[in-house]
Amino acid sequence: MTRKVTKAIFPVAGLGTRFLPATKSVPKEIMTLVDRPLIQYAIDEARAAGIKEFIFVTSRGKGALEDYFDHAPQLEMELAQKGKTELLDTLKNTNMESGAVAYVRQHKPKGLGHAVWCARRLVGDEPVAVLLPDDVIAAETPCLKQMVEAYAETGGNMVAAMEVPAAKTSSYGVLDVAEDMGHMVSVKGMVEKPKPGTAPSNLAVIGRYILAPQVLDNLDSTQAGAGGEIQLTDAIAKEIGANNNVYGYRFRGQRFDCGSKAGFLQATVSFGLAREDLRDDLSQFLQDIAISQQAAE
Ligand code: UTP
């Protein structure tokens, strides 16, 4: 029987250079979509998928992130005194059970594969989910929950996958598909950031993974790959035909690349429009902009 996935790694040690100067002092993962920081979306998704232990791979300057999950006694007391129960409830979501969160430090930003490897001792001999908080996925059933349910049937390793235009494949890890089963594919190869025109398919890996513990062992011996970094994709690809199968899961939902400015802005608008308390004002504003732009053309 496939083991239940109860641990998740959140690699949050990146420099976030695409958001400088903001990320000089604010961790990217604390930047807010509407009123919740990016990391909260990832945590909520993990909780919905049954994750009980949360492992953050952090780095220098990420203190605000650690504080975010602490209780805030002074603030909570003041809100309670003022009878602001709704806001108190909002804060509850940010509190983590003692012992449920672990922080491990990545001392140098040597890439995603290295960040995941830094968490190896906390993972042990069981499958683990990895969530990149910059990939925010709006979905009726949270993406990781969809994957955990599919993984219960398949075991092995699973990566979230989505079709991207051919011109964009060189920005992603890309799957070489063995068999296409519709919502899922089995994988015979994976290429990190293929050179233009060489991608084996249009199916790109995005930031949700369920990994067998062997992948963390593989990271130990994986040489630096594309961009001179230790690539998670390469360590997963080593499992193909060795110990575990690798599956690409076509999730149902819309992914926003909040690691890029354009993606972040799109997510802000989309999540704003999804909120009942903001929808009317925001859509009116967007319509007004569109009209005045058309008039100017
Ligand atoms: P990115 O590739 O987006 O890199 O990382 P970045 O440093 O965060 O951002 P830019 O490109 O400089 O703007 C994808 C994920 O992997 C984590 C990041 O925190 C992010 O969640 N990461 C990346 C690490 O934890 N360590 C690293 O060395 C690199």
Side-chain angles (χ1 to χ4, degrees), residues 10-20 23 28-29 57-59 62 106 108-116 131-135 193 229 257 259-260:
F10 300 84
V12 291
L15 296 173
T17 53
R18 281 171 288 172
F19 281 96
L20 280 170
T23 43
K28 177 171 62 173
E29 303 75 18
V57 182
T58 67
S59 58
K62 301 279 177 168
Q106 184 189 26
K108 282 188 184 158
K110 289 186 176 176
L112 173 62
H114 181 261
V116 171
L131 295 95
L132 306 191
D134 340 14
D135 276 335
K193 301 193 172 61
E229 293 184 349
D257 174 12
S260 78

Side-chain angles (χ1 to χ4, degrees), residues 74-85:
Q74 179 90 32
L75 179 61
E76 285 166 24
M77 203 174 68
E78 295 211 8
L79 292 175
Q81 275 169 359
K82 290 181 179 149
K84 305 217 161 170
T85 46

